[in-house]
């Protein structure tokens, strides 16, 4: 059948229905052939797809992962996923190039579990020159099958720090008594240090490294530069670059899943697996300062949406930022008392707008906001602190909002009434028809005032078109009085 224009078909659509069935049948046949070809393609490609991992299973290359910055949930997520992808390729070795000031204990321990359970040897390489493996980085270095450093790097200072929390009642006395007997450290601090010391000693014994120095790094926060670390059997190799590292460790034996494994790494090509976009986004939003900013933008965006429903943009932006902040906070060691104080502070500033207290509620809100922001991330781990400049910026914004609200409240108190029935008092209107009544009960009629028709009441007779002034409002009745200039010439009064 030839193609026809839409205008050639009948109005009732009968011809369309007539040619519709064959058209649907043709579409069904084409779809069937497409599915059949897809199935054939999958069957033909299946051996190729299943053989791809087999071709990559030969350990003929090394995989390079990179950690640069504080170790946290985002770092652990990147390392876990990258190590799993690397293991699927069965490389000869996985190299973790690292430069870190430390990080969170939970993320570090998860990474160590993945290293010790890996079927592929992992070499941690502190590089480039000037890098460090402080605190959590030292533990990772000790846990790796090969520990290497570049010249001009250092490691150590592995003493754990307290993550903020709330002390139990009565613990202050026990801690003060213990502190007097143990060099100023509380019972809780001793427990944490002893646990960390035993942990790093176990890692050192696992690969035959210096146990005594590892314990000193935890208990006394000592550090070593690369050459001293090699001399004291803290690390295995000092390498100038990755190729030099692969050359030096070739032929070494390591304990891999409780079995001896000989490395064959000289001259291997290196495949780099840097953090992907997901890891980079996660690293950004799990930064405490970014998470804090997201929370504040979310709070103020939702407040603006509630003030002006239907604005959409503040509500959408605020909702997205708040959800991102909540996701970040559930991964970070936050103090929930700080979150509560921040929310209380914002609530008090908002209350100042609805119930002006000349600054009492607002000032209290700013104080609660600042204190909550300071203790929100009550942790001394480098890279996991909220900068005071960020806190000061949002505190200043809240204070400006507060002062603006108080200033507007003071201005409103001195301004005349602009809306409502009370606004009619003092307005001038026009009598629409003669008032009827007597001297005893008063005179009543209709009054046109403020572009509205009201019932009027006056103590003296009023004629049509005379001007009157509203003196009071009694329900739906206005008390009016005649203007003296309109008593003698009512015919000259025009509409108001």
């Amino acid at each position: 059948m030839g193609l026809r224009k839409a205008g050639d078909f009948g109005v009732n659509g009968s011809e369309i229905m007539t040619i519709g069935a064959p058209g649907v049948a043709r579409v069904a046949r084409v779809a069937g052939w497409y599915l059949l070809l897809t199935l054939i393609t999958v069957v033909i490609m299946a051996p190729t797809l299943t053989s791809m991992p087999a071709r990559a299973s030969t350990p003929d290359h090394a995989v390079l992962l990179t950690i640069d910055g504080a170790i946290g949930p985002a770092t652990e997520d990147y390392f876990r996923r990258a190590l799993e992808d690397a293991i699927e390729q069965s490389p000869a070795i996985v190299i973790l190039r690292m430069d870190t000031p430390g990080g969170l204990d939970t993320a570090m321990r998860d990474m160590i579990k993945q290293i010790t359970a890996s079927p592929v040897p992992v070499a941690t390489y502190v590089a480039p020159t000037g890098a460090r493996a402080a605190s959590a980085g030292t533990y990772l270095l000790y846990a790796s099958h090969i520990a290497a450093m570049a010249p001009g790097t250092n490691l150590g200072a592995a003493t754990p720090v307290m993550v903020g929390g709330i002390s139990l009642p009565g613990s202050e006395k026990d801690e003060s008594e213990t502190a007097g007997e143990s060099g100023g450290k509380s019972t809780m601090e001793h427990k944490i240090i002893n646990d960390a010391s035993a942990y790093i000693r176990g890692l050192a014994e696992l690969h035959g490294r210096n146990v005594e120095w590892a314990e000193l790094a935890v208990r006394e926060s000592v550090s070593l530069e690369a050459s001293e670390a090699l001399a004291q059997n803290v690390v295995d190799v000092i390498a100038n670059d990755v190729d030099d590292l692969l050359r030096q460790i070739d032929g070494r034996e390591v304990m891999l899943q409780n079995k001896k494994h000989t490395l064959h790494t000289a001259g291997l090509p290196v495949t780099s697996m840097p953090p992907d976009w997901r890891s980079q986004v996660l690293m950004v939003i799990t930064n405490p300062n970014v998470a804090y900013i997201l929370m504040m933008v979310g709070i103020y965006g939702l407040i603006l949406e509630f003030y002006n429903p239907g604005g959409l943009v503040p509500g959408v932006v605020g909702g997205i930022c708040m959800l991102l902040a909540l996701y970040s906070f559930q991964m970070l060691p936050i103090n929930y008392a700080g979150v509560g104080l921040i929310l209380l502070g914002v609530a008090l500033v908002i209350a100042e707008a609805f119930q002006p207290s000349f600054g009492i509620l607002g000032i209290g809100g700013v104080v609660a906001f600042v204190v909550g922001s300071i203790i929100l991330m009550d942790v001394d781990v480098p890279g996991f602190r909220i900068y005071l400049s960020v806190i000061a910026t949002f505190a200043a914004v809240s204070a400006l909002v507060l002062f603006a609200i108080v200033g507007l409240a003071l201005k409103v108190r001195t301004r005349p009434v602009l809306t409502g029935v009370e606004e009619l008092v003092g307005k001038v209107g026009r009598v629409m028809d003669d008032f009827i009544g007597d001297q005893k009960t008063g005179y009543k009629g209709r009054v046109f005032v403020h572009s509205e028709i009201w019932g009027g009441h006056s103590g003296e007779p009023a004629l049509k078109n005379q001007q009157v002034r509203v003196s009071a409002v009694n329900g739906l009745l206005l008390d009016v009085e005649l203007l003296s200039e309109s008593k003698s010439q009512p015919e000259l009064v025009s509409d108001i």
Side-chain angles (χ1 to χ4, degrees):
M1 181 180 292
L3 296 176
R4 302 178 64 182
K5 296 185 294 182
D8 294 336
F9 297 110
V11 177
N12 59 4
S14 58
E15 189 169 357
I16 295 178
M17 295 299 296
T18 303
I19 70 167
V24 173
R26 283 196 297 270
V27 172
R29 284 196 298 271
V30 171
W33 280 107
Y34 175 78
L35 293 175
L36 180 60
L37 290 174
T38 303
L39 180 60
I40 294 173
T41 303
V42 171
V43 172
I44 294 175
M45 292 294 295
T48 305
L49 295 175
T50 55
S51 65
M52 288 177 62
R55 289 201 304 269
S57 63
T58 305
D60 57 355
H61 70 290
V63 174
L64 177 64
L65 311 182
T66 303
I67 293 178
D68 186 6
I71 295 172
T75 310
E76 188 276 330
D77 178 77
Y78 156 68
F79 180 75
R80 174 179 51 78
R81 293 189 298 109
L83 184 60
E84 290 174 355
D85 293 342
I87 290 174
E88 290 182 358
Q89 302 176 19
S90 297
I93 192 169
V94 174
I95 302 172
L96 176 62
R97 185 169 55 194
M98 180 173 61
D99 178 12
T100 178
L104 300 180
D105 179 77
T106 53
M108 174 200 73
R109 289 178 182 257
D110 288 341
M111 293 175 65
I112 289 175
K113 291 177 184 177
Q114 294 154 22
I115 291 174
T116 56
S118 172
V120 176
V122 177
T124 298
Y125 178 39
V126 184
T129 298
R132 57 177 171 167
S135 190
T138 302
Y139 293 82
L140 290 172
L141 202 64
Y142 262 87
S144 301
H145 304 93
I146 295 292
M149 300 177 70
T153 58
N154 66 281
L155 80 163
T159 303
V161 294
M162 276 284 292
V163 175
I166 300 175
S167 300
L168 295 175
S171 62
E172 295 83 357
K173 180 179 178 181
D174 296 338
E175 291 184 359
S176 62
E177 291 175 355
T178 307
E181 302 172 358
S182 55
K185 292 185 174 63
S186 67
T187 303
M188 182 58 67
E189 289 172 330
H190 269 284
K191 290 180 179 179
I192 295 174
I193 290 176
N194 289 337
D195 175 72
S197 177
Y199 188 56
I200 200 169
R201 286 177 67 92
L203 296 176
E205 293 174 354
L206 189 63
H207 298 291
R209 300 195 180 102
N210 192 324
V211 176
E212 289 73 18
W213 185 88
E215 188 168 1
L216 287 176
V218 173
R219 295 189 180 278
E220 300 182 12
S221 296
V222 296
S223 298
L224 286 177
E225 55 89 19
S227 59
E228 293 177 344
L230 181 63
Q232 297 188 31
N233 190 31
V234 174
V235 298
D236 305 313
V237 175
I238 294 180
N240 295 319
D241 52 33
V242 173
D243 292 334
D244 186 29
L245 171 63
L246 293 174
R247 181 183 58 79
Q248 291 192 49
I249 64 176
D250 184 56
R252 286 178 176 259
E253 286 189 348
V254 297
M255 292 300 297
L256 185 64
Q257 295 183 335
N258 298 323
K259 296 180 181 179
K260 288 186 177 181
H261 177 80
T262 303
L263 299 177
H264 302 283
T265 57
L268 288 180
V270 179
T271 302
S272 181
M273 295 179 62
D276 56 8
W277 67 268
R278 167 182 164 174
S279 298
Q280 292 175 356
V281 170
L282 195 60
M283 289 176 185
V284 170
I285 65 175
T286 54
N287 182 301
N289 295 280
V290 175
Y292 177 78
I293 293 173
L294 287 172
M295 180 183 69
M296 297 311 304
V297 172
I299 290 174
Y300 284 120
L302 293 177
I303 290 173
L304 290 175
E305 182 65 27
F306 292 149
Y307 276 161
N308 184 27
L312 297 182
V313 174
V316 171
V317 173
I320 294 174
C321 290
M322 181 59 70
L323 289 176
L324 289 174
L326 292 176
Y327 175 76
S328 301
F329 284 149
Q330 64 93 21
M331 302 180 69
L332 295 172
I334 65 169
N335 188 333
Y336 289 98
V339 177
L341 284 172
I342 291 175
L343 296 178
L344 176 63
V346 173
L348 290 176
V349 172
I350 297 173
E352 183 70 38
F354 289 99
Q355 185 66 35
S357 61
F358 300 98
I360 297 176
L361 291 176
I363 293 174
V366 172
V367 172
F369 175 84
V370 172
V371 173
S373 300
I374 292 174
I375 70 173
L376 178 64
M377 293 294 298
D378 191 12
V379 60
D380 294 330
V381 177
F384 289 91
R385 302 171 185 167
I386 298 179
Y387 300 140
L388 289 178
S389 58
V390 177
I391 297 175
T393 299
F394 279 97
V397 170
S398 299
L400 289 175
V401 172
L402 166 65
F403 293 146
I405 291 172
V406 172
L408 291 174
L410 292 175
K411 289 181 180 179
V412 167
R413 290 178 65 88
T414 59
R415 292 178 60 182
V417 178
L418 298 178
T419 59
V421 177
E422 295 79 5
E423 175 192 12
L424 293 173
V425 178
K427 294 290 184 180
V428 176
R430 172 175 59 86
V431 177
M432 297 189 66
D433 45 37
D434 296 346
F435 278 24
I436 301 174
D438 52 44
Q439 191 68 31
K440 183 177 181 180
T441 59
Y443 300 88
K444 295 181 180 181
R446 294 187 303 160
V447 178
F448 184 79
V449 59
H450 201 257
S451 301
E452 299 171 344
I453 298 175
W454 288 77
H457 176 268
S458 175
E460 54 185 324
L463 302 179
K464 183 178 180 179
N465 290 332
Q466 282 189 317
Q467 285 185 319
V468 294
R469 177 180 287 110
V470 179
S471 59
V473 179
N474 295 314
L476 298 178
L477 194 65
L478 303 180
D479 289 342
V480 298
E481 56 185 18
L482 291 175
L483 295 180
S484 57
E485 59 271 17
S486 68
K487 293 182 180 180
S488 57
Q489 297 179 344
E491 68 278 6
L492 299 178
V493 177
S494 62
D495 290 346
I496 297 177

